[in-house]
Amino acid sequence: MKREKIHLEYLLNATAKNVIWSSISTPSGLENWFADKVISDDKIVTFCWGKTEQRKAEIIAIRAFSYIRFRWLDDENEREFFEMRMSNNELTNDYVIEITDFADAEEVEDLTELWDSQIDTLKRTCGF
């Protein structure tokens, strides 16, 4: 089954880079919008949803105030990852969150809707 790389961009209408970086790179920040509970053990991060769903990811790349890239430990393809990257629009001084992820061809729309929902939650909880 062919997997597709997806790239999504979300304008945050925000200028607080510290708040954005904390939201995408710290357990407490990720708990506000991405997962119900996030436990970090150095480079291994456990994401929990509800009472039973749990997935572990490894931080495979990080650059402060730029991006964080995770690889799900249960993924068969070691080349796949999901990344959250923040960049600044110099013209408006607003920040953009760029998401890179992978999905089966028939799941691209569902994954896009999931990211849309998650980013809406991020905007709401952080006041963007």
Side-chain angles (χ1 to χ4, degrees), residues 70-85:
F70 297 91
R71 184 183 70 78
W72 293 116
L73 295 181
D74 58 1
D75 267 357
E76 294 175 10
N77 188 338
E78 291 188 12
R79 299 176 112 180
E80 291 185 5
F81 59 89
F82 72 99
E83 178 181 272
M84 295 175 275
R85 180 177 293 266

Side-chain angles (χ1 to χ4, degrees), residues 10-12 14 19-25 28-35 84-86 95-99 114-128:
Y10 301 93
L11 179 64
L12 295 182
V19 173
I20 298 166
W21 179 247
S22 175
S23 295
I24 66 173
S25 67
S28 61
L30 289 163
E31 285 177 356
N32 285 329
W33 67 280
F34 187 76
M84 295 175 275
R85 180 177 293 266
M86 59 184 276
Y95 278 88
V96 173
I97 291 282
E98 299 172 55
I99 305 293
L114 177 62
W115 277 113
D116 289 350
S117 173
Q118 297 294 92
I119 297 296
D120 283 345
T121 302
L122 169 66
K123 289 178 178 181
R124 197 172 51 256
T125 59
C126 292
F128 300 144

Side-chain angles (χ1 to χ4, degrees), residues 32-75:
N32 285 329
W33 67 280
F34 187 76
D36 296 329
K37 185 158 182 63
V38 180
I39 304 162
S40 178
D41 181 17
D42 195 28
K43 291 216 176 254
I44 303 299
V45 181
T46 304
F47 297 96
C48 305
W49 296 272
K51 293 183 179 183
T52 57
E53 189 176 351
Q54 173 177 303
R55 283 186 86 185
K56 291 183 184 238
E58 176 183 15
I59 299 171
I60 56 174
I62 188 170
R63 175 185 275 161
F65 300 101
S66 182
Y67 68 91
I68 186 164
R69 181 179 291 183
F70 297 91
R71 184 183 70 78
W72 293 116
L73 295 181
D74 58 1
D75 267 357

